[in-house]
Amino acid sequence: MPIPEDVTGEEIDKDVRQELQSLPKTLAEDVAKNLVMVARLIDEDPEGAYGYSRVALRLASRVAAVREAAGFAAYASQKYGEALAEFRAARRMTGNVDLWPVMADCERGLGRPEKALDMAGAPEVHKLDKAGQVEMRLVAAGARRDMGQLDAAIVTLQSPELASGSVQPWTARLRYAYADALLAVGRESEAREWFAKAVEADRDGSTDASDRLAELDGVEFTDALDESGENGENDNANNENGDAKDENGVTGASGDADAAGED
């Protein structure tokens, strides 16, 4: 796959660059450039990122950072069986537990929420940092919802991190998931309160909490430039074909996506 001229490979994280030092210099540079493209495209063009990840994997499958990048590219492309296999390989190489929550979410994507819940109760969770433990809580709540246990999902999300007034990188997503879980059981006024709190914490637009809040408030957005309504109809068609967001408000996570594959 073509690499843009502005990509040098030096853009990658220094820890990854250090891992690549085990490779011949020219090969390491090629792998680095492909990893840069994975990082560049994974949010906007998951399939493109996946293609570059496969090139990197073909060149350096014994490098843990490459296996991890391939896992995230497959995950973003909803290839959950493949993602899980790559994450497991990376974990075997490093012994690191950081991938545990996303591995559990792959189990959800494969239609195995019970397995995800088993992982949420495993000893590995205690080895995660605070961000990892919050992520695991989000995955566990999602698994409860997958199984139709809506009240249990609400309880799962009730935690010191949810009650905290300080804003952390995970705060918006945690509040969003709680609001969505409340709405799912008809507790609309409480849901509105938590969507509003999610908006306050969502400084980088990682969720669509503001849209959900406006929807609850009955606010409708129209195209002021098109009085005929034709653009509105086109927008509706685009929305129907667009990416769905999961209950955590994140595009491309497991959510309701159909997953296929074996691990």
Side-chain angles (χ1 to χ4, degrees):
M1 297 181 68
I3 303 289
E5 292 183 2
D6 66 315
V7 174
T8 66
E10 294 296 318
E11 301 91 338
I12 62 173
D13 184 86
K14 64 179 181 179
D15 292 334
V16 176
R17 191 158 53 243
Q18 186 173 356
E19 278 193 63
L20 295 180
Q21 289 178 355
S22 62
L23 303 173
K25 186 174 187 297
T26 302
L27 179 59
E29 291 175 352
D30 288 343
V31 173
K33 289 178 181 179
N34 279 281
L35 293 181
V36 170
M37 292 306 298
V38 172
R40 178 179 289 189
L41 296 176
I42 196 164
D43 291 330
E44 300 300 326
D45 181 12
E47 288 296 335
Y50 176 76
Y52 283 104
S53 77
R54 300 308 295 177
V55 175
L57 194 59
R58 189 163 61 246
L59 296 173
S61 63
R62 296 186 179 181
V63 176
V66 171
R67 302 303 289 265
E68 183 173 331
F72 277 109
Y75 178 78
S77 301
Q78 300 181 359
K79 298 175 175 66
Y80 297 115
E82 192 172 320
L84 184 57
E86 296 301 340
F87 289 143
R88 284 174 173 168
R91 184 167 179 267
R92 283 195 299 270
M93 292 176 178
T94 64
N96 199 317
V97 299
D98 290 353
L99 295 171
W100 197 252
V102 72
M103 289 169 64
D105 206 34
C106 285
E107 295 287 1
R108 284 186 60 211
L110 289 166
R112 302 194 290 247
E114 298 89 350
K115 177 63 176 175
L117 285 177
D118 287 344
M119 294 179 69
E124 284 83 354
V125 175
H126 300 295
K127 301 176 184 178
L128 295 169
D129 61 14
K130 181 62 67 176
Q133 290 179 2
V134 170
E135 196 65 36
M136 193 72 247
R137 189 177 292 278
L138 288 166
V139 173
R144 291 291 186 189
R145 293 189 64 171
D146 293 343
M147 298 167 66
Q149 300 174 4
L150 303 184
D151 289 326
I154 292 172
V155 173
T156 298
L157 293 167
Q158 292 171 343
S159 62
E161 293 80 20
L162 179 67
S164 174
S166 66
V167 175
Q168 302 295 334
W170 61 78
T171 302
R173 292 180 60 237
L174 185 59
R175 291 176 179 179
Y176 182 101
Y178 190 59
D180 200 43
L182 289 168
L183 191 60
V185 297
R187 293 161 64 176
E188 188 171 313
S189 62
E190 293 173 83
R192 190 206 173 284
E193 175 187 349
W194 283 97
F195 276 127
K197 290 182 178 180
V199 171
E200 292 174 1
D202 195 357
R203 296 167 180 170
D204 59 358
S206 63
T207 75
D208 64 349
S210 60
D211 292 341
R212 299 294 300 277
L213 183 60
E215 182 180 342
L216 284 174
D217 287 343
V219 176
E220 295 184 6
F221 297 98
T222 58
D223 189 343
L225 299 178
D226 181 16
E227 296 180 359
S228 68
E230 292 180 1
N231 284 351
E233 292 176 4
N234 291 335
D235 289 344
N236 288 337
N238 290 336
N239 287 339
E240 290 174 1
N241 295 324
D243 288 332
K245 290 181 181 281
D246 72 353
E247 64 273 3
N248 298 334
V250 182
T251 304
S254 54
D256 297 327
D258 292 330
E262 301 286 337
D263 59 327

